[in-house]
Amino acid sequence: MKTSIQHICHISQQTISLDGKVVFHLENQVESNEFLNESYRFLQIDYPKFFKMDILAKLAFIATELICKSLIIKDINKDEVGIVFGNKSSSLMADLTHQRSIQDKNAHFPSPAVFVYTLPNIMMGEMCIRHGFSNENTLFISEEFDAEILAKYTNHLLNERIVEHCMGGWVDAQPGNYEAFLYFVGTGKSAFWGEHTAENILGLKQKSAEEIAENFQKTAFESEPISSEY
Amino acid sequence: MKNTYVIATNVVSPLGFNTEDNFEHIQSQKSGLSFQEFDFTNEPFCVSKMQENVINQRFKVLGDFKDEYSKLEKMCILSVADALKQTKHNCLGKDSVLIFCSTKGNIDLLENIVQNQSFDTGLFLAETAQKIAEFLGFENKPIVVSNACVSGTQGILVGKRFIDAGIYNNVVVLGGDLVTKFTVSGFKAFNALSAEPCQPFDDNRKGVNLGEGAATVILSNKSNENKEQIIVKAGFSSNDATHISAPSRTGQGLLKAIQKISEVSDLEDIDFVSAHGTATRYNDDMESQALARADLNFVPIHSLKGYFGHTLGAAGVLESVMGIASLQHNQTIISKGFEVSGTVQNLNPIKSVEHKPLRSFLKTSSGFGGCNAAVLFSKINL
């Protein structure tokens, strides 16, 4: 069975691109969390729970929101959407926050609201709650984007009809650095982004990363912010 | 679809360094749980923790490595090394892969990182897995699965699918996690910990005990030489899509995973359920709901948390290994800590060791993020 990539969304360097087009860019350098909050406001999403999420969940949430809004096929069976992601740093950012709250035994104040995000799969849980996806979630951790494993595993789920559609991608955050690259995979041959293969997702990720970097450079030179007045 | 055979197993825990020792100890009702002090509270807590000097003694046999490997890495290496010895198959070559299942890996390194403000890449799960795989001599790069408390069961599922898809012929599924201040303080903040030994499914249950361990199952598309084989028959996972830190009240997600198995395999004649059974009020109630809705609540059930504590990412592998040993020995395992029924739907926790033919069991796991996984193990005769 042929599987195909229906939409892609890439978030990095204060830029969000959907299906190859920049939808939001922030010129002034801000902290990762602030950038994501700005994106949320710009995109006029109404989901207040967003603000309690960690960086990973915010990245995955915004990318999924954009992809779901642009789905051409509206009647997908959300119960049968799976999620297969890759990540490098696990939940490092939330881990650091939790560790700082327990580092000093005399100032011990761990918070359940932080601790719950010290698991990298929580971002998938947030996506499931928001969109009603209730099929499989699998998170592979690797040194770098492992297109081979992600594509093979996702294609197996689709071919065996374990899932009907799949959100795939890479979501990672470290101090001062973050990236989300998400794609929506379905069966059938007609899709704008072509067949879902390791080669193709790797190529698309590199291409959109280059476009984002180019946009970053361009706006830096022109110093004409696209949306920074927001 | 061809069979996925379980060709070797191991458990490294305070109760022993191989499957047989662990099984023997739990069958005589020994537990790894003991009271431990933590510097942030005056109240001691029951956890199942391994002594580092005992691990080091065992590890010395493999060579003189001093401080090159962390406690977790040593436990994991010992677990896989013992399992590899049990099979004649070459599980290290190009057609084989190691899947490392862990929630937090070497998270104990984080304290020093924050203290000294210098990063240690040993914290990265992929690096931990690479170190373990290199020591053991795997040719392929290892794979890491991190799905909270479902990691181990999910890892077995991923392993089976790699074999089904013909991607690998042998998959070594390793689960490993530690008891650390990081996890203990977090679970305590959730009010989810019991200071006393936990009591899964009991009316008086007060919460979970954390545990550490490493466990291995080797899956293969080829059986070993025994007449009797255990296979991973089917498995599915699901998400509740209701809450990130509380299980579904109705058990909807777990039910979905179980129902998907029943669509491809008969669940009517399973001999027991090896449940997640954390002994928190919400988890055990959720499981009782899901099992009742699947018409499986009268099937004998055990939780192994009273012996090993909750070993997080290792739990699914460790508990599957004990369930497999239960099938191989034709002996049921007592659900330790259970006395008085106390779940929303009545369950049937195992109260005595029975010697009788056992053919199949269902392993279930659930975790933060709303994730659930269920795997059916069966005995077949060749």
Side-chain angles (χ1 to χ4, degrees):
Chain A
M1 190 165 26
K2 280 243 192 307
T3 57
S4 54
I5 303 165
Q6 304 183 343
H7 294 281
I8 57 174
C9 182
H10 205 149
I11 308 177
S12 77
Q13 298 185 63
Q14 303 208 139
T15 306
I16 302 176
S17 79
L18 174 68
D19 288 331
K21 292 188 186 73
V22 172
V23 293
F24 181 67
H25 170 73
L26 198 60
E27 179 70 12
N28 302 331
Q29 277 296 319
V30 294
E31 280 192 43
S32 321
N33 197 40
E34 204 180 321
F35 165 70
L36 292 164
N37 290 349
E38 284 294 319
S39 317
Y40 170 93
R41 291 188 195 102
F42 176 79
L43 297 167
Q44 298 186 323
I45 303 166
D46 183 21
Y47 194 71
K49 271 198 270 182
F50 175 83
F51 292 102
K52 69 173 182 59
M53 294 180 194
D54 75 330
I55 303 264
L56 285 183
K58 282 181 177 175
L59 283 164
F61 180 91
I62 287 182
T64 309
E65 202 69 13
L66 286 167
I67 287 177
C68 283
K69 271 189 187 150
S70 52
L71 284 177
I72 304 159
I73 319 154
K74 293 292 172 199
D75 58 345
I76 60 158
N77 187 359
K78 291 197 163 179
D79 283 340
E80 300 306 330
V81 176
I83 308 171
V84 178
F85 277 179
N87 152 292
K88 175 182 180 175
S89 317
S90 182
S91 49
L92 179 61
M93 300 301 282
D95 292 359
L96 284 165
T97 310
H98 176 65
Q99 183 62 40
R100 287 187 195 108
S101 74
I102 61 166
Q103 186 81 3
D104 180 354
K105 66 178 179 189
N106 300 313
H108 185 83
F109 53 93
S111 148
V114 171
F115 183 65
V116 69
Y117 288 100
T118 65
L119 295 162
N121 65 304
I122 297 295
M123 62 176 150
M124 300 168 155
E126 295 281 19
M127 289 163 62
C128 290
I129 294 168
R130 169 66 167 170
H131 298 283
F133 304 154
S134 61
N135 206 305
E136 170 160 337
N137 298 170
T138 296
L139 180 68
F140 292 110
I141 294 191
S142 51
E143 179 71 34
E144 50 193 23
F145 183 63
D146 191 342
E148 197 75 26
I149 286 298
L150 291 172
K152 278 182 179 169
Y153 188 74
T154 302
N155 281 341
H156 178 72
L157 295 182
L158 289 160
N159 288 329
E160 294 299 317
R161 299 176 199 275
I162 295 165
V163 302
E164 288 177 12
H165 294 91
C166 199
M167 272 287 188
W170 174 262
V171 185
D172 193 60
Q174 294 181 30
N177 194 9
Y178 56 84
E179 183 181 23
F181 173 70
L182 262 62
Y183 43 89
F184 190 79
V185 191
T187 52
K189 53 183 187 298
S190 58
F192 188 71
W193 297 105
E195 201 178 333
H196 174 247
T197 59
E199 211 179 9
N200 198 11
I201 55 173
L202 190 61
L204 287 171
K205 183 172 182 288
Q206 276 163 358
K207 190 162 170 274
S208 77
E210 279 161 21
E211 281 166 0
I212 284 173
E214 220 170 86
N215 176 72
F216 186 76
Q217 290 262 321
K218 197 171 67 192
T219 54
F221 280 120
E222 292 169 358
S223 70
E224 216 174 272
I226 294 176
S227 316
S228 66
E229 76 275 10
Y230 197 86
Chain B
M1 205 172 279
K2 284 170 78 181
N3 284 333
T4 299
Y5 299 94
V6 174
I7 57 166
T9 65
N10 168 279
V11 168
V12 167
S13 85
L15 295 177
F17 283 83
N18 58 49
T19 302
E20 287 308 303
D21 284 354
N22 277 280
F23 187 70
E24 209 173 284
H25 281 135
I26 67 171
Q27 292 307 72
S28 58
Q29 289 299 288
K30 267 202 188 166
S31 169
L33 293 170
S34 64
F35 285 95
Q36 300 268 333
E37 307 267 351
F38 289 92
D39 68 3
F40 57 87
T41 169
N42 295 326
E43 186 191 13
F45 272 91
C46 248
V47 292
S48 175
K49 211 167 154 68
M50 297 198 67
Q51 291 182 331
E52 202 149 2
N53 58 334
V54 180
I55 297 168
N56 288 341
Q57 273 171 18
R58 296 273 175 163
F59 200 69
K60 246 195 321 208
V61 179
L62 302 177
D64 185 19
F65 300 101
K66 293 202 173 70
D67 302 327
E68 286 167 54
Y69 295 92
S70 71
K71 180 183 182 183
L72 177 68
E73 288 154 8
K74 285 184 259 190
M75 287 159 57
C76 287
I77 289 168
L78 284 167
S79 177
V80 177
D82 177 65
L84 287 171
K85 275 194 312 202
Q86 296 162 32
T87 174
K88 286 181 184 162
H89 295 15
N90 173 14
C91 300
L92 301 171
K94 274 284 165 219
D95 64 341
S96 306
V97 75
L98 173 74
I99 300 183
F100 177 48
C101 313
S102 183
T103 60
K104 298 311 304 171
N106 287 318
I107 194 66
D108 50 337
L109 294 177
L110 199 58
E111 192 169 341
N112 273 333
I113 292 170
V114 168
Q115 184 77 38
N116 306 326
Q117 298 194 340
S118 65
F119 198 72
D120 181 344
T121 56
L123 192 68
F124 286 125
L125 282 164
E127 188 160 314
T128 307
Q130 185 62 37
K131 251 176 115 177
I132 295 166
E134 260 174 35
F135 184 103
L136 294 157
F138 283 89
E139 281 184 51
N140 281 319
K141 203 171 59 171
I143 289 165
V144 179
V145 171
S146 189
N147 277 67
C149 304
V150 166
S151 303
T153 311
Q154 186 69 26
I156 292 172
L157 212 50
V158 171
K160 175 181 162 47
R161 291 185 178 147
F162 281 154
I163 289 173
D164 286 346
I167 300 168
Y168 295 105
N169 294 330
N170 309 295
V171 181
V172 179
V173 185
L174 162 71
D177 261 309
L178 295 174
V179 170
T180 58
K181 191 174 153 183
F182 186 98
T183 49
V184 174
S185 63
F187 275 91
K188 189 168 186 299
F190 260 109
N191 278 325
L193 286 187
S194 165
E196 308 284 320
C198 65
Q199 293 188 270
F201 315 123
D202 192 90
D203 196 33
N204 193 34
R205 66 185 185 277
K206 295 195 175 73
V208 70
N209 304 134
L210 296 182
E212 60 191 16
T216 304
V217 292
I218 304 185
L219 306 175
S220 178
N221 65 352
K222 292 187 297 291
S223 65
N224 51 24
E225 285 159 357
N226 304 346
K227 248 168 95 195
E228 208 175 68
Q229 301 285 331
I230 308 286
I231 59 165
V232 182
K233 204 162 180 198
F236 290 94
S237 63
S238 63
N239 193 293
D240 290 339
T242 52
H243 201 283
I244 52 166
S245 60
S248 148
R249 292 285 171 111
T250 59
Q252 184 58 36
L254 181 56
L255 176 68
K256 177 173 174 160
I258 295 171
Q259 276 175 337
K260 284 196 154 195
I261 295 180
S262 69
E263 283 164 20
V264 295
S265 254
D266 215 351
L267 283 177
E268 276 165 27
D269 53 0
I270 57 168
D271 292 292
F272 63 93
V273 175
S274 171
H276 192 50
T278 57
T280 64
R281 294 238 65 100
Y282 291 126
N283 174 79
D284 294 6
D285 278 344
M286 178 280 286
E287 286 189 288
S288 78
Q289 292 280 24
L291 291 168
R293 290 175 68 190
D295 272 331
L296 294 172
N297 54 323
F298 295 109
V299 173
I301 188 171
H302 68 225
S303 158
L304 302 180
K305 302 294 191 282
Y307 303 101
F308 299 102
H310 186 354
T311 52
L312 306 178
V317 184
L318 188 153
E319 292 162 10
S320 292
V321 170
M322 288 296 105
I324 290 162
S326 174
L327 291 189
Q328 287 168 333
H329 288 262
N330 292 303
Q331 277 180 40
T332 60
I333 302 173
I334 296 171
S335 191
K336 196 173 175 61
F338 173 78
E339 282 163 29
V340 181
S341 188
T343 44
V344 174
Q345 301 288 337
N346 275 334
L347 293 171
N348 182 14
I350 299 169
K351 285 182 173 164
S352 61
V353 174
E354 275 185 66
H355 295 250
K356 61 179 186 187
L358 299 173
R359 310 257 343 145
S360 67
F361 76 98
L362 183 69
K363 172 75 206 121
T364 69
S365 296
S366 299
F368 278 148
C371 49
N372 306 276
V375 174
L376 177 66
F377 291 89
S378 277
K379 199 186 265 178
I380 58 164
N381 293 313
L382 292 181

